[in-house]
Amino acid sequence: MIEWLTDFYDIRQLITDGVDTKMNRIAVSFIAALFLLMISTLASADMLEFSDVIIEVDDDKQSANEAGGSIDIIPDSKLELKIEVSNLFESGTENGEIEDIEIEAILEEVDDGDDLEETSDDFDVRPGRDKTVTISFDIPLKLETDASYILTLNVEGEDQNGTIHTAHLEFDVDVDKEKHELRFLRKEIVPSKVTCTRSVRLAIDMINTGEEDEDIELIIDGAEIDYNKRLEFEMYEDIDDDDNEYTFSDTLDLDELRPGLYSIFVKAIYYDSKRTLEDTITVEVGECASAVQEPDPEPEPEPEPEPEQPTVVEVVSQPTVPSTSAASQVRQATAVATPRTTYTQKGFWAENKWLMIILFTDLVLIAAGAVVVFSILKRRK
């Protein structure tokens, strides 16, 4: 390039030397300068450009595009940019691929005076082609009313000849708040589940994200746990004011509650009772293990009585029906049928042995007497 410019100056010198008048030499020099400027501009032209930009805030597409424009953001929203970058070299240009391209997005001073910055991963684009990259920002909850910021997009890459190519784009970013709006920062019971220890902490934090100061009536209704609060206060729209936020906390005693799930209803009324912010907080009361009584052990079953053997009654005299007292001594066995009593009977001689002895003695005496009588009679003859 330097050698080409040297040759150009030599040619210009030859032309001016051949011109007769001073005015003609000035005219030729001016034309040559314009030609040189044109060549220089073409040689140093950036071959990267933002060919398309699609902007959405919480899925709401906005009119700003690759030509710039204005973007409206709201507190605690998501700003998403779909950025298309094109390589302006004609397709097939030798060494025309632009490499290591990065897009830098800067949202200035939006985060309490600090910038939000995002940078894309690097990528390459061939001649005549384009590439789309997505960059997003999480917009802070605290934004000044009617504030304006600047969003800057910068892209840079290097072609295969070592030439750096860049592009730059800016957007105006305006804060668009609701006229009247409150939001919960926190609403919880800590811990959310209790067992033996029944003391919990109720915490409620709110912020005014609208454009106006508000008079608030806060109602906390826990009818199930016998708890109720009604509070009145003011919240300012200025994010730098301490009263832009409100904090409430209290300790709740749940000792008298049975195990179960209990609800606390929270409601903020504002804007002359035209708007409300409400939600429900729950706490679970569980069974305390130490308070659970273990069931009494079941009594061991008594052993079933062994079946008794039938009683044998020996009858000395004539067989008779056993007396009531004797019969009562015979117990029923565990079998279904009651066993019968067995009686053992002896023979006639065994039962009347003494009678037989007496009869036998009488017979012996009678026989002896008969012998004596017979002997006496015989002697008399």
Side-chain angles (χ1 to χ4, degrees), residues 118-227:
E118 296 290 339
T119 303
S120 71
D121 295 332
D122 60 83
F123 56 94
D124 303 334
V125 180
R126 289 180 291 176
R129 307 297 291 271
D130 55 62
K131 171 79 172 181
T132 299
V133 174
T134 299
I135 292 179
S136 61
F137 292 98
D138 292 326
I139 303 301
L141 179 62
K142 284 192 168 188
L143 295 176
E144 293 183 6
T145 303
D146 298 328
S148 294
Y149 308 98
I150 299 296
L151 173 63
T152 302
L153 299 182
N154 297 305
V155 63
E156 182 177 298
E158 183 178 356
D159 66 24
Q160 293 175 322
N161 290 321
T163 302
I164 301 298
H165 301 268
T166 62
H168 178 82
L169 186 59
E170 285 189 0
F171 299 92
D172 294 324
V173 179
D174 299 324
V175 174
D176 184 20
K177 289 184 177 183
E178 292 280 346
K179 192 74 171 177
H180 302 275
E181 184 183 55
L182 298 181
R183 298 194 189 192
F184 285 119
L185 293 175
R186 180 175 60 156
K187 49 185 186 312
E188 61 183 2
I189 291 179
V190 181
S192 59
K193 180 177 181 179
V194 294
T195 52
C196 298
T197 301
R198 298 294 183 86
S199 179
V200 298
R201 193 73 178 169
L202 171 65
I204 300 171
D205 294 343
M206 298 189 304
I207 184 172
N208 183 357
T209 53
E211 296 181 340
E212 299 290 337
D213 299 339
E214 303 289 353
D215 292 321
I216 316 294
E217 181 182 9
L218 179 64
I219 300 171
I220 305 171
D221 184 11
E224 295 178 335
I225 63 174
D226 194 23
Y227 181 85

Side-chain angles (χ1 to χ4, degrees), residues 306-379:
E306 294 289 338
E308 295 187 4
Q309 297 297 327
T311 304
V312 178
V313 179
E314 183 177 346
V315 180
V316 176
S317 60
Q318 294 294 329
T320 59
V321 178
S323 63
T324 303
S325 61
S328 62
Q329 297 176 2
V330 182
R331 299 179 181 176
Q332 294 182 349
T334 56
V336 176
T338 304
R340 294 178 298 176
T341 305
T342 304
Y343 300 94
T344 303
Q345 297 183 354
K346 297 183 179 181
F348 176 80
W349 296 107
E351 293 178 356
N352 301 284
K353 60 182 180 178
W354 292 108
L355 180 60
M356 296 307 296
I357 292 172
I358 294 172
L359 292 176
F360 179 75
T361 303
D362 290 343
L363 290 176
V364 172
L365 291 175
I366 292 171
V371 172
V372 172
V373 173
F374 180 74
S375 298
I376 295 172
L377 291 178
K378 187 176 179 180
R379 287 178 183 176

Side-chain angles (χ1 to χ4, degrees), residues 196-256:
C196 298
T197 301
R198 298 294 183 86
S199 179
V200 298
R201 193 73 178 169
L202 171 65
I204 300 171
D205 294 343
M206 298 189 304
I207 184 172
N208 183 357
T209 53
E211 296 181 340
E212 299 290 337
D213 299 339
E214 303 289 353
D215 292 321
I216 316 294
E217 181 182 9
L218 179 64
I219 300 171
I220 305 171
D221 184 11
E224 295 178 335
I225 63 174
D226 194 23
Y227 181 85
N228 186 275
K229 289 283 185 181
R230 186 179 296 268
L231 307 164
E232 294 183 357
F233 49 91
E234 188 174 4
M235 296 180 69
Y236 298 136
E237 62 82 21
D238 185 0
I239 63 172
D240 295 323
D241 195 299
D242 291 339
D243 289 330
N244 177 246
E245 298 182 25
Y246 176 80
T247 298
F248 172 84
S249 64
D250 197 3
T251 300
L252 309 182
D253 188 357
L254 310 179
D255 280 341
E256 302 301 323

Side-chain angles (χ1 to χ4, degrees), residues 272-287:
D272 297 329
S273 300
K274 297 176 183 177
R275 288 198 175 185
T276 61
L277 175 68
E278 55 191 63
D279 207 340
T280 300
I281 311 172
T282 58
V283 59
E284 182 178 357
V285 177
E287 188 77 47

Side-chain angles (χ1 to χ4, degrees), residues 58-124:
D58 280 352
D59 299 326
D60 179 23
K61 188 175 179 180
Q62 306 222 356
S63 59
N65 52 36
E66 69 278 6
S70 179
I71 302 171
D72 292 331
I73 59 173
I74 58 179
D76 195 30
S77 59
K78 182 176 181 180
L79 170 61
E80 184 175 84
L81 311 170
K82 294 180 180 179
I83 306 166
E84 182 182 84
V85 176
S86 296
N87 183 336
L88 298 181
F89 283 117
E90 293 185 1
S91 180
T93 300
E94 184 178 358
N95 297 329
E97 182 173 4
I98 301 178
E99 303 170 333
D100 299 327
I101 301 172
E102 283 187 350
I103 302 175
E104 179 187 52
I106 303 174
L107 185 53
E108 300 176 6
E109 300 182 353
V110 71
D111 188 14
D112 195 20
D114 295 330
D115 296 344
L116 295 180
E117 299 184 20
E118 296 290 339
T119 303
S120 71
D121 295 332
D122 60 83
F123 56 94
D124 303 334

